[in-house]
Amino acid sequence: TGTGAIVIGPEEKPKKFVDVDINIPKTKMCNEDAIAIVIGNRDYEKVSDVEYALRDAKIMKEYLINVLGYKEGNVILIENAKLSDFVTYFGTKDNYKGKLYDYVKPGKSDIFVYYSGHGAPGLRTRKGYFVPVDCDPQKVEMGGYSLDLFYENIDKIPARNKIIVIDACFSGKDILKGISPIYIEVPRTYLMENTVIFTSTSGTEVSCWYDEKMHSMFTYFFLKGLRGKADLNKDGKITYKELYEYVSDKTEGVPYWSRRLHGFTQTPEMQPEDAKGIFVKLK
């Protein structure tokens, strides 16, 4: 770990090398106070598995260490998170001071939260929920972790900068039986200072896989962007805007390849849409 290589389980063993998984660039970035929570939910008890979620999470950890300069001990990888894991790290409605809060140095630490797995809407609230691996999505309002609560608690953490990357859809398509996809209102970031949120889909869209690359579609292009492809003006720096423009490019990015391979369009989003700042310094 931290060397640009990855150890994977036998059920995930690749049949070939995947470009974003090998030769991960090592930049000179150093962000020793930054804290990351990286969640990969693959093995679900009550719904279909998310085939590449663990691979997504493990490789994302390597990019945080090698490309973004996070200390290995500050990148917490959670495999197949249960509801108790979400509560432990992100807190409850009555107490927002979970482990993530405890790890942060006020005003000095950046935080990065990544999630790959199922999301679902509450059938009563029409709000979005992360689906822990032990959750029945039909009762997600009881066994899931509220997206609203997640954002509210993250907002209260006194971190310097906050980056949230969510590779999940929240329409309920494919995991809620006998209902039409539900459009949920995702909280906007105008109430959250110093926060940039990347999400893999818009509206009632579905997040798809990129089977040839053995990653989710969005995470594959996100990682490829981080390794330099998103440096659109070739200045050795990747801004949030450049990364978003790369992953959401209609001719080369997620929208094109989701339509080409799966027959539907997946459109990533970034909030705020005019997010400013440099995400990666490649040199």
Side-chain angles (χ1 to χ4, degrees), residues 51-253:
E51 187 66 28
Y52 304 119
L54 288 181
R55 174 177 294 281
D56 287 345
K58 290 176 181 178
I59 294 292
M60 185 64 72
K61 177 178 179 178
E62 297 298 323
Y63 275 76
L64 285 163
I65 296 168
N66 288 280
V67 179
L68 293 170
Y70 283 50
K71 290 173 60 176
E72 183 173 353
N74 285 350
V75 182
I76 295 90
L77 174 65
I78 306 172
E79 300 182 14
N80 295 316
K82 297 182 178 182
L83 178 59
S84 59
D85 294 309
F86 283 90
V87 170
T88 296
Y89 284 93
F90 303 124
T92 65
K93 184 176 181 181
D94 297 321
N95 184 359
Y96 63 89
K97 296 181 179 180
K99 278 192 173 183
L100 177 57
Y101 175 91
D102 293 339
Y103 292 164
V104 165
K105 294 180 180 180
K108 292 185 66 177
S109 297
D110 295 334
I111 59 175
F112 183 102
V113 179
Y114 171 82
Y115 174 80
S116 178
H118 280 310
L123 298 181
R124 181 179 60 84
T125 63
R126 302 179 76 87
K127 299 285 188 178
Y129 292 81
F130 294 111
V131 181
V133 295
D134 55 346
C135 172
D136 181 347
Q138 299 283 353
K139 294 292 185 180
V140 74
E141 291 154 339
M142 299 173 68
Y145 193 83
S146 164
L147 200 58
D148 282 3
L149 177 61
F150 169 77
Y151 284 126
E152 289 169 7
N153 286 359
I154 291 289
D155 192 30
K156 295 173 183 175
I157 297 176
R160 183 176 63 176
N161 295 297
K162 306 168 188 180
I163 300 105
I164 299 168
V165 182
I166 298 176
D167 195 340
C169 59
F170 295 88
S171 67
K173 187 173 182 181
D174 296 332
I175 67 169
L176 291 177
K177 306 301 182 183
I179 70 163
S180 299
I182 295 174
Y183 177 77
I184 67 164
E185 291 290 339
V186 177
R188 309 304 292 183
T189 60
Y190 59 79
L191 296 177
M192 301 176 67
E193 296 182 359
N194 305 322
T195 303
V196 179
I197 300 174
F198 292 91
T199 53
S200 60
T201 63
S202 304
T204 58
E205 292 177 347
V206 176
S207 288
C208 64
W209 298 339
Y210 196 163
D211 290 305
E212 181 182 352
K213 303 297 185 180
M214 291 177 286
H215 280 288
S216 76
M217 183 70 69
F218 171 77
T219 293
Y220 171 77
F221 281 97
F222 191 89
L223 294 173
K224 196 170 183 180
L226 289 183
R227 64 191 290 129
K229 289 293 185 179
D231 183 12
L232 303 180
N233 62 2
K234 307 299 182 185
D235 66 349
K237 302 172 185 177
I238 299 172
T239 65
Y240 295 111
K241 185 177 180 181
E242 282 181 312
L243 182 57
Y244 173 68
E245 288 178 352
Y246 174 75
V247 299
S248 62
D249 188 90
K250 290 181 171 57
T251 60
E252 300 292 340

Side-chain angles (χ1 to χ4, degrees), residues 21-71:
D21 293 1
I22 60 174
N23 300 322
I24 298 172
K26 181 76 174 177
T27 71
K28 295 180 180 179
M29 290 188 71
C30 179
N31 200 346
E32 62 179 15
D33 292 320
I35 306 293
I37 307 294
V38 178
I39 299 174
N41 275 9
R42 177 186 186 273
D43 303 311
Y44 279 86
E45 297 175 8
K46 297 178 174 64
V47 291
S48 60
D49 291 343
V50 179
E51 187 66 28
Y52 304 119
L54 288 181
R55 174 177 294 281
D56 287 345
K58 290 176 181 178
I59 294 292
M60 185 64 72
K61 177 178 179 178
E62 297 298 323
Y63 275 76
L64 285 163
I65 296 168
N66 288 280
V67 179
L68 293 170
Y70 283 50
K71 290 173 60 176

